[in-house]
Amino acid sequence: MSHSISTTVRRKDAVAKASGVTEYLSDQFLHSPLHAKCYYSSIARGQIISRILPDLPEDYFIIGADDIPGKNNLHMIIEDWPVFADKDVRYLGQIVYLVIGPDKAKVLELHSQIKIEYKEDTPCYTLEDSMTLVGGAQHEDDNVYTRYDIHHGNIEVPFEKAHRILEKEYYTGYQEHVYMEPQSMFAYWEDDSFVLHASAQCPFYIRKSLVGALGMEPEKIRIIQSTTGGAFGGKEHFPDVLAGPLAVAVYKIRKPIKLVLDRKEDLAYSIKRHPSSVNIRTAVDKKGKILAHDIDLRLDGGAFSSCSAVVLARAVFTISNVYNFPNVKVCGRAYCTNKVPSDAFRGFGAPQAVFAIESHMNYLAYELAVNPLEFRQPYLLKQGSPTITDGVVHEKVMLPEMTKRALEMSGYKEKFEEYKNVPGKGIGFSYFLHGCGFTGNGERDLIKARIYLKKDESDQVFIYASNVEMGQGLSTTFCKVAAKSLDIPLEQVDYVGPDTSIVPDSGPTVASRSISVVGFLVQKAAERLKEEWVSGEAQSITQDYSPPEGMVEWDQDALKGDAYPAYSWGVNIVEVEVDPLTCEVDTKGIWGVYEVGVPIDRQIVEGQIIGGMVQALGYSHLEKLECVDGRFKQATMADYMIPTSMDFPSTQSDIVDNPFEYGAFGAKGAGEMVFDGAAPAFGAAVSQAVDAIIDEVPVLPETLMELTDEGQ
């Protein structure tokens, strides 16, 4: 059933963006008196022995650790990322100085004259290096940022009684965010406050990160979100890393300064998706029934922890995917290495976990000589099923309906049988889910979201929240929710851009929470305003978050309970052909069926689906990003290959409605889940095409050549 809220409208920002009228931060503040350029470390690990700085003309500055008025750290999850490298260096690309001046050419000249002498220490570049403490421990005494251990059921007896034990390891690589607009910000001093305009997705995160470094009260730090040309997680915490040095510079100089990274700089030194290694041992009985999984999940967190703890949490809680396995043990670890820090990226740990478990289900089916789709069916979650954290699936699970629709759209079953006898052709299937909102007690105890709804004397309604429009359509969907609730025209509602001085902290724009969590607050506030509506009179409503009723209470120490109040669900099918000579993969078909509760504007969700699947298929086999000796080899957009319209056929998709009681008009999260399933479906298709198990992404031609040469 299609809901009226889903009817597509013209996006509020469509005309301005499509016509080029919209200005991004690099288009603004063109007459900034000062420009900044970061000076980065040139080694991956060591100590700074000496520094030679050039003589500075008037109005030129080199700002470093000695200029910090407060503490030399940025507050993210923990405080381990310094504002400036001081004595030690953790990765190639760590900011040591900020060079500032009115003329960009002169700034670059001064930048080239900085000389730093290092004493290099032995770096650790891989998970194996970190686990064996190559060069000595850097974080605590074991290089482990965070560890999570899950015990669902008991695996000891099943492994003792198993008829067979099957084991395989799965790997995923780096991925670059490639947002449309690079990292950029502009800052100045106003009265006794620091003001920052930033292309970012979490304004209150930036403010929180600067409090200690500046030694100022949060209210004296104002963050204004500028129009943001995409983020995908790349502007969750990395703006904090740039805002720290810039804030210190403004604090000292007291003049406006503009900092815009060029694309090459952004590619080289900004954060990436966590590489992963997941080992899965599975006990099966004589009939091939899964008795237990023993899973070791490792993430490469890079030089500083940033978001690794929460990315690991989602990976660990997602590793059982859409399945009700009776006995699962998961050992999750995020490790420190001497590379650019890994951080948030669309899917936030779920893509790594889903790739591993879905690929493993294909591997088990292959080893047991059974159909991979039929093999999955007995384990599918249902309403009331237990989760891996001993919570409960509260909603009706629509996977049977979604499976049927996906099979109809793609012709999967017929093609799967046909391609058994056609070398070079394959079709693959994947299931996936994504928990909506923050994990565990995050929404209730950490975020505590609040929004304002205000109406002026002309009866125009304004939404005040800290959630960011970054291309996903939020400024339209929030207004649709309010207008529908108030029963007024869409034109009568406006979304106020985030500015920490005027909007409440409704939390960051992450975790697929904006519509599913904050949108619900907008709806509730609008319903209250409708009851109290007095035409021609200014009115204001404050709406605070309250957790859904009936949840299994989350125990953070035991990691038990409902990790998420609801899940979005998906099915992906991908069809490929592999060139027998070059081993290049040609994607012939892409199909997806999704359950996101109720879509708030169907076309906006379809845009998310197409974008998410294409981005994930780029991750699957095009986006090769190698880190050698701490430096990324793919340094420009010419050698880091992202998908173009020539790489894939059109995506065919469908959406199944399943209203969520605590989402805006029944909505759940959509932005991340649409990424999660394409890589394993692609891997399964390639596996059939080359008759070999794919256990890593990206799937590169050279990998396939090695596999086929070995005759696996």
Side-chain angles (χ1 to χ4, degrees):
M1 175 181 178
S2 182
H3 291 251
S4 58
I5 190 74
S6 305
T7 303
T8 294
V9 301
R10 172 175 282 183
R11 283 177 56 146
K12 289 232 171 197
D13 55 353
V15 174
K17 285 183 174 175
S19 63
V21 171
T22 298
E23 287 190 340
Y24 295 85
L25 202 142
S26 61
D27 305 317
Q28 301 173 315
F29 315 112
L30 296 177
H31 303 292
S32 171
L34 298 174
H35 300 274
K37 177 74 174 176
C38 297
Y39 183 89
Y40 303 100
S41 66
S42 59
I43 68 167
R45 183 179 185 182
Q47 294 107 50
I48 295 174
I49 302 301
S50 66
R51 313 159 186 246
I52 299 176
L53 303 181
D55 293 332
L56 297 173
E58 185 178 358
D59 290 333
Y60 288 84
F61 308 87
I62 296 179
I63 303 295
D66 292 342
D67 300 299
I68 299 170
K71 298 184 292 185
N72 188 11
N73 60 52
L74 300 163
H75 190 136
M76 298 180 190
I77 307 298
I78 62 173
E79 295 182 348
D80 71 335
W81 197 326
V83 180
F84 290 105
D86 187 5
K87 298 176 182 176
D88 301 319
V89 170
R90 275 273 190 96
Y91 71 97
L92 194 156
Q94 191 173 347
I95 297 174
V96 184
Y97 288 116
L98 204 60
V99 185
I100 297 157
D103 181 73
K104 291 182 181 178
K106 186 65 178 177
V107 167
L108 292 176
E109 179 187 333
L110 294 169
H111 184 278
S112 69
Q113 294 172 6
I114 297 174
K115 306 295 181 189
I116 294 183
E117 181 185 359
Y118 299 96
K119 177 183 179 297
E120 291 195 58
D121 296 325
T122 303
C124 71
Y125 290 130
T126 66
L127 282 167
E128 290 73 22
D129 286 351
S130 185
M131 293 163 65
T132 54
L133 303 181
V134 169
Q138 299 179 96
H139 183 87
E140 303 294 345
D141 58 1
D142 57 4
N143 279 345
V144 175
Y145 287 131
T146 306
R147 65 186 67 221
Y148 294 120
D149 293 307
I150 297 286
H151 299 272
H152 174 66
N154 190 320
I155 71 167
E156 305 300 330
V157 174
F159 269 94
E160 289 174 3
K161 295 183 176 179
H163 175 66
R164 291 181 68 184
I165 295 176
L166 297 166
E167 179 175 3
K168 198 159 186 62
E169 190 143 352
Y170 304 90
Y171 305 91
T172 63
Y174 280 112
Q175 189 180 23
E176 166 63 37
H177 296 80
V178 202
Y179 22 68
M180 297 292 285
E181 173 210 17
Q183 303 277 350
S184 51
M185 45 190 59
F186 175 75
Y188 52 93
W189 197 261
E190 186 173 73
D191 299 326
D192 58 348
S193 297
F194 170 73
V195 183
L196 175 76
H197 295 255
S199 174
Q201 60 188 91
C202 309
F204 280 93
Y205 273 11
I206 300 176
R207 190 177 81 163
K208 178 182 177 184
S209 76
L210 296 179
V211 168
L214 292 178
M216 295 170 60
E217 294 296 321
E219 292 73 23
K220 297 291 185 183
I221 300 171
R222 179 185 178 190
I223 312 298
I224 304 168
Q225 187 246 340
S226 63
T227 302
T228 298
F232 306 119
K235 295 177 181 176
E236 179 171 343
H237 273 305
F238 194 70
D240 307 0
V241 178
L242 299 179
L246 186 60
V248 172
V250 169
Y251 185 92
K252 181 169 183 177
I253 301 169
R254 302 295 168 110
K255 289 184 178 178
I257 305 174
K258 188 174 182 179
L259 174 61
V260 178
L261 300 193
D262 62 40
R263 182 61 77 177
K264 189 173 180 179
E265 193 178 15
D266 202 319
L267 285 169
Y269 306 129
S270 67
I271 48 91
K272 317 295 176 195
R273 184 186 295 281
H274 287 76
S276 72
S277 172
V278 183
N279 182 277
I280 307 179
R281 293 175 65 238
T282 300
V284 297
D285 67 12
K286 288 184 179 179
K287 296 182 179 179
K289 181 181 177 183
I290 296 172
L291 302 176
H293 292 301
D294 186 1
I295 301 172
D296 186 7
L297 190 157
R298 300 178 293 275
L299 298 181
D300 183 344
F304 297 108
S305 63
S306 191
C307 272
S308 286
V310 278
V311 172
L312 177 68
R314 187 170 290 268
V316 167
F317 301 152
T318 306
I319 192 66
S320 60
N321 201 20
V322 299
Y323 306 112
N324 179 11
F325 299 126
N327 303 293
V328 185
K329 174 188 170 189
V330 187
C331 172
R333 303 286 185 271
Y335 285 92
C336 170
T337 56
N338 293 111
K339 295 182 292 187
V340 166
S342 305
D343 204 73
F345 204 133
R346 191 178 205 173
F348 210 76
Q352 294 94 322
V354 171
F355 176 76
I357 192 64
E358 284 297 279
S359 299
H360 192 66
M361 293 296 278
N362 292 331
Y363 166 66
L364 295 178
Y366 181 84
E367 287 291 322
L368 298 169
V370 296
N371 181 288
L373 178 57
E374 294 174 4
F375 176 65
R376 286 166 159 83
Q377 301 309 306
Y379 306 101
L380 294 182
L381 290 167
K382 302 179 177 68
Q383 188 172 28
S385 295
T387 67
I388 192 173
T389 55
D390 294 342
V392 175
V393 177
H394 294 275
E395 69 245 59
K396 179 183 178 183
V397 179
M398 306 286 283
L399 286 176
E401 295 88 339
M402 296 166 67
T403 304
K404 180 181 178 185
R405 180 69 183 119
L407 298 181
E408 290 171 351
M409 291 165 63
S410 64
Y412 171 87
K413 286 188 173 180
E414 297 78 8
K415 290 177 181 176
F416 181 81
E417 293 303 318
E418 177 188 347
Y419 296 163
K420 286 180 178 177
N421 303 311
V422 183
K425 287 189 175 183
I427 190 164
F429 186 101
S430 73
Y431 284 120
F432 47 99
L433 54 64
H434 200 96
C436 300
F438 262 70
T439 301
N441 56 0
E443 295 289 351
R444 184 193 68 191
D445 296 338
L446 300 178
I447 303 302
K448 301 176 182 176
R450 166 175 289 185
I451 66 116
Y452 301 149
L453 212 59
K454 296 184 179 181
K455 178 173 79 67
D456 65 15
E457 290 83 351
S458 65
D459 290 346
Q460 191 72 18
V461 176
F462 300 89
I463 301 168
Y464 288 72
S466 59
N467 301 88
V468 165
E469 166 65 64
M470 51 186 183
Q472 82 281 39
L474 184 73
S475 60
T476 302
T477 49
F478 265 8
C479 292
K480 283 189 74 175
V481 169
K484 177 77 173 174
S485 303
L486 289 162
D487 196 20
I488 60 177
L490 182 63
E491 295 73 22
Q492 203 174 328
V493 183
D494 288 311
Y495 157 78
V496 177
D499 173 340
T500 58
S501 70
I502 59 173
V503 306
D505 187 357
S506 56
T509 311
V510 302
S512 294
R513 62 182 295 278
S514 293
I515 282 294
S516 64
V517 176
V518 183
F520 189 60
L521 303 186
V522 173
Q523 180 183 348
K524 294 291 120 180
E527 289 171 353
R528 288 172 53 202
L529 179 60
K530 185 178 182 180
E531 293 176 359
E532 301 171 14
W533 186 281
V534 181
S535 185
E537 183 176 302
Q539 294 176 274
S540 178
I541 299 287
T542 298
Q543 187 73 37
D544 291 319
Y545 173 82
S546 60
E549 297 178 356
M551 295 290 106
V552 179
E553 189 170 352
W554 181 252
D555 183 333
Q556 182 60 32
D557 294 327
L559 302 179
K560 297 291 185 184
D562 282 329
Y564 306 98
Y567 297 87
S568 299
W569 307 77
V571 175
N572 277 177
I573 295 175
V574 176
E575 181 182 354
V576 303
E577 283 187 17
V578 179
D579 186 297
L581 295 178
T582 67
C583 283
E584 291 177 299
V585 182
D586 185 9
T587 302
K588 310 300 290 186
I590 312 169
W591 299 270
V593 181
Y594 302 86
E595 193 267 86
V596 295
V598 172
I600 306 298
D601 197 294
R602 194 174 182 88
Q603 195 169 74
I604 285 177
V605 173
E606 288 173 349
Q608 292 284 303
I609 289 170
I610 294 169
M613 288 194 71
V614 168
Q615 191 176 36
L617 287 170
Y619 178 56
S620 303
H621 75 127
L622 294 175
E623 299 188 30
K624 178 182 180 181
L625 185 55
E626 299 171 289
C627 191
V628 178
D629 295 335
R631 186 186 302 276
F632 292 109
K633 291 179 69 175
Q634 290 72 29
T636 70
M637 292 300 297
D639 50 10
Y640 183 72
M641 306 298 290
I642 61 171
T644 71
S645 58
M646 300 297 290
D647 291 304
F648 299 120
S650 297
T651 301
Q652 296 180 40
S653 64
D654 202 358
I655 301 170
V656 176
D657 281 0
N658 187 22
F660 171 46
E661 182 181 359
Y662 293 94
F665 287 97
K668 303 178 190 174
E672 293 182 288
M673 184 266 292
V674 292
F675 184 99
D676 292 346
F682 179 86
V686 175
S687 287
Q688 186 180 36
V690 301
D691 193 25
I693 298 298
I694 298 300
D695 58 10
E696 66 178 63
V697 288
V699 183
L700 304 172
E702 51 266 40
T703 307
L704 296 181
M705 285 182 180
E706 292 172 4
L707 278 177
T708 51
D709 285 348
E710 292 173 6
Q712 295 185 40

